[in-house]
Amino acid sequence: MNNISFNINKLMPLSAGLTSNADWQHWAESDHEWLTPSAAVPHDLIPPMARRRMSKLSKLAVQSAIAISLEQQIDYIIFSSRHGELTRTVQLLQDILAGEDASPTAFSQSVHNTAAGLYTILTKQAIPVSSLSAGENTFPSALIEANSYLAQHPSHQVLVVDFDEPVPGVYRPFTKETFHGYALAMLVTQGEDYQLSWTPRRSEHPDYPLPHALDFIAHVKRANTQWSVESQRNQWHWVTKGGVVN
C-alpha cells in the first residue's frame, strides 16, 4: 500500500452560491444540494480588467487562491484540474467550424495552466508553480505532488488549488458528473493530521458522481475520520484526526 501524510493549515472551498463555511456545511449535510446554481461567481479580489477576460472556472480558481494566500508565506503552488478550460476550448473549435475567427483572448486562455499563470501575474509572485491533470485522480495526485515537494522542503508551505466544472454538452453522454463549478484551495504543510493511502480498485464499475475534491470537502465538513473513494484504477483511503478545517 502506498501512502502519504500532511497537515492542512487552511482550507477554502468556493462555488457560485457557496461562499461561506455555513453554506458548505449545509451542502455537505443536505446530500450535496446546489441551492443557487445561477449565483454569480465571486471575483472581488480579481482586478476588473483581468476578470473581464477570464472564464467562470478561472475566476473560481484565482479568487480562492488569492483569498487563502493573503498574508501567507507560499513556497510552491499546485493548480490541479481534470478538465481545465475545456469549455472554452470547445467553444473555440465550434467557432472555427462555423467559419468564424478564433478570439485571440479566448485562445490565449484556453490552455491548462491558465489559472496558474493568471494567479502569478495578478499577485506578482515569482513562485514555482505546477499545473496538473490526472483524470478522476487529479486531486489526490496534486496532494502526492505536494507531499513529494514537502519531503525535500519540510519547513515550506504549499498552496494546492483543485478546480473543475462539468464538461460541455457534447461530452455529457460519456460522464456521470453531478456537480457545479468549484475551486478548493488549501495550504498544505508536512505533518500527520491527514493520511491518504491507495490500493488497486476492487469494483468493476466504480461510481464517482462527485470529483474527489468535493467528496473530500463533504467528509471534512461532516467531521468524518475515515472514508474511501474508488476510481477506475485505484481505491483511495482517507484517515484524519477529524474536525472542520477553516
Side-chain angles (χ1 to χ4, degrees):
M1 178 183 292
N2 300 294
N3 63 85
I4 59 173
S5 62
F6 52 90
N7 288 354
I8 299 176
N9 290 347
K10 195 174 182 181
L11 179 148
M12 180 176 292
L14 190 63
S15 183
L18 298 174
T19 58
S20 68
N21 287 329
D23 292 337
W24 283 101
Q25 194 70 41
H26 181 271
W27 173 85
E29 295 173 354
S30 61
D31 198 26
H32 316 140
E33 182 180 2
W34 303 87
L35 295 178
T36 52
S38 60
V41 171
H43 54 237
D44 58 290
L45 298 178
I46 303 172
M49 287 298 292
R51 65 180 181 235
R52 286 178 56 246
R53 298 187 292 269
M54 293 169 63
S55 68
K56 292 181 179 179
L57 185 61
S58 285
K59 288 177 186 175
L60 283 170
V62 175
Q63 172 80 9
S64 63
I66 294 175
I68 202 172
S69 61
L70 292 174
E71 300 181 358
Q72 294 284 338
Q73 174 62 43
I74 307 297
D75 302 290
Y76 181 44
I77 308 171
I78 303 167
F79 279 84
S80 60
S81 180
R82 179 178 184 178
H83 302 306
E85 295 289 342
L86 183 60
T87 297
R88 176 163 269 173
T89 300
V90 167
Q91 185 60 57
L92 282 169
L93 293 174
Q94 290 174 338
D95 290 345
I96 293 171
L97 289 173
E100 301 176 11
D101 292 333
S103 164
T105 298
F107 180 77
S108 68
Q109 293 194 14
S110 65
V111 294
H112 198 81
N113 64 341
T114 294
L118 289 171
Y119 173 82
T120 55
I121 291 170
L122 295 176
T123 59
K124 297 180 174 61
Q125 296 182 14
I127 302 174
V129 58
S130 293
S131 224
L132 183 151
S133 179
E136 71 271 21
N137 297 324
T138 293
F139 177 61
S141 296
L143 295 174
I144 293 171
E145 168 71 13
N147 188 262
S148 298
Y149 174 85
L150 291 170
Q152 296 181 311
H153 309 278
S155 63
H156 284 191
Q157 182 167 242
V158 179
L159 169 61
V160 176
V161 185
D162 187 86
F163 59 104
D164 216 342
E165 64 183 357
V167 295
V170 67
Y171 292 111
R172 294 288 173 84
F174 306 101
T175 73
K176 296 181 179 180
E177 298 172 331
T178 58
F179 68 99
H180 293 174
Y182 74 90
L184 171 61
M186 304 189 308
L187 298 179
V188 179
T189 58
Q190 196 170 69
E192 302 290 334
D193 287 353
Y194 291 81
Q195 298 178 25
L196 175 62
S197 58
W198 56 100
T199 56
R201 69 176 174 87
R202 296 177 181 177
S203 66
E204 291 296 325
H205 303 286
D207 184 22
Y208 41 90
L210 284 180
H212 201 140
L214 286 177
D215 185 80
F216 172 80
I217 295 170
H219 284 286
V220 168
K221 290 299 181 182
R222 294 197 298 264
N224 294 336
T225 57
Q226 294 187 43
W227 68 91
S228 295
V229 180
E230 281 205 345
S231 64
Q232 290 184 349
R233 295 183 179 180
N234 301 101
Q235 186 173 43
W236 303 89
H237 311 280
W238 285 92
V239 178
T240 81
K241 292 186 177 180
V244 178
V245 180
N246 295 321

